[in-house]
């Protein structure tokens, strides 16, 4: 029987996440599976439990392409980090929320033992989420490339100076304006930075790209939703008084001088999420944002109780 490789990603700088990581590693070991960890978490786990000797190191002992599953312990930030670590493989991410909202997570802390049991039994389905590819050009030269699951944001680099940008869809200019920045998002990221900036909530089953201006000084600077095969672009105009910066998922960053051009397209490489239930996205919205639904009777005529 071939070896099974399950990567455990935890925010080991936090006590609750470290404890959860130890519990998961012990449960995997008890099931006869050697947990796989990244090099920056191995030392923390071993220091917290010196008896935890059966750990495999990702990249040294196990390749990304050999992973079966990634168990992620933390909030959405930790899940985004896990997506970055596992990029290049096909292992789905199974998130256990230890944070606040945890929109990308599939389970909560109190369900941790059962979640690992189902992972061991391969009792989950896999859902693919769109990602985007990002290319930054300056004077027709590609100076930076990256990707994102949630969003790419072009922002002003200093608080005092706004950006002068031109926004473009499918190779055609749409408008120019001064702003604090522009967010270009996937449906997954529509409930993250894009949501905070006033963008629409887009169901994950919808293939689309979003463009949401940040504090734009213009009459026409509304959030846009375009098709999945469209290309979005933001140019920092040469007359812009301030420099800019690009952020991908709030993790990867690059400085943008005036004249830089940021192009965002759909990436052929999705992120795969492990799902433990077939609950609809509407219920996830209601649960995560504690939305009031009391009084709704629905098609069956039964009133929904208070959460």
């Amino acid at each position: 029987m071939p070896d099974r490789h399950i990567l455990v990603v935890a925010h080991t700088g936090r006590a609750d996440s470290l404890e959860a990581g130890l519990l998961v590693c012990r449960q995997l070991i008890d099931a006869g599976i050697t947990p796989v960890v990244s090099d920056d978490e191995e030392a923390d786990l071993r220091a917290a439990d010196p008896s935890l000797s059966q750990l495999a190191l990702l990249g040294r002992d196990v390749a990304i392409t050999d992973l079966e599953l990634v168990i992620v312990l933390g909030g959405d930030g930790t899940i985004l980090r896990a997506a970055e670590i596992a990029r290049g493989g096909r292992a789905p991410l199974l998130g256990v929320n230890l944070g606040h909202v945890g929109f990308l997570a599939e389970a909560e802390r109190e369900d941790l033992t059962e979640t690992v049991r189902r992972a061991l039994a391969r009792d989950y389905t896999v859902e693919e989420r769109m990602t985007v590819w990002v290319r930054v050009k300056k004077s027709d030269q590609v100076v930076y490339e990256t990707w994102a699951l949630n969003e790419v944001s072009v922002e002003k680099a200093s608080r005092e100076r706004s950006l002068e940008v031109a926004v473009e869809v499918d190779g055609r200019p749409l408008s120019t304006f001064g702003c604090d920045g522009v967010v270009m998002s996937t449906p997954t990221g529509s409930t993250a930075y894009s949501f905070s900036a006033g963008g629409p909530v887009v169901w994950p089953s919808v293939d689309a790209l979003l463009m949401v201006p940040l504090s734009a000084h213009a009459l026409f600077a509304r959030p846009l939703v375009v098709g999945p095969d469209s290309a979005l672009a933001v140019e920092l105009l040469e007359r812009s008084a301030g420099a800019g910066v690009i952020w991908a998922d709030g993790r990867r960053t690059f400085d943008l001088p005036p004249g830089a051009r940021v192009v965002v397209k759909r990436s052929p490489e999705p992120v795969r999420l492990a799902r433990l239930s077939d609950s609809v996205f509407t219920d996830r919205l209601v649960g995560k944002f504690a939305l009031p639904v009391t009084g709704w009777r629905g098609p069956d005529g039964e009133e929904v109780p208070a959460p």
Side-chain angles (χ1 to χ4, degrees), residues 9-10 13 25 35 46-47 61 65 71 81 84 93 104 114 154 163 179 216 222 247 249 273-274 284 294:
V9 176
C25 287
R46 291 190 189 279
D61 306 316
T65 52
I71 298 178
R81 182 167 68 89
E84 183 177 7
L93 312 179
L104 293 172
E114 174 64 10
V154 175
L163 296 177
C179 62
R222 297 291 184 263
W247 286 93
D249 285 340
L273 301 179
R284 184 176 291 265
T294 303

Side-chain angles (χ1 to χ4, degrees), residues 14-56:
R14 290 177 44 180
D16 59 340
S17 185
L18 177 60
E19 179 186 1
L22 294 171
L23 289 173
V24 171
C25 287
R26 293 176 189 133
Q27 195 171 346
L28 293 178
I29 291 171
D30 289 344
I33 295 177
T34 301
V36 183
V37 297
S38 60
D39 56 0
D40 58 339
E41 295 182 355
E42 179 187 29
D44 290 340
L45 291 167
R46 291 190 189 279
D49 185 356
S51 68
L52 202 66
S53 58
Q54 300 178 48
L55 295 178

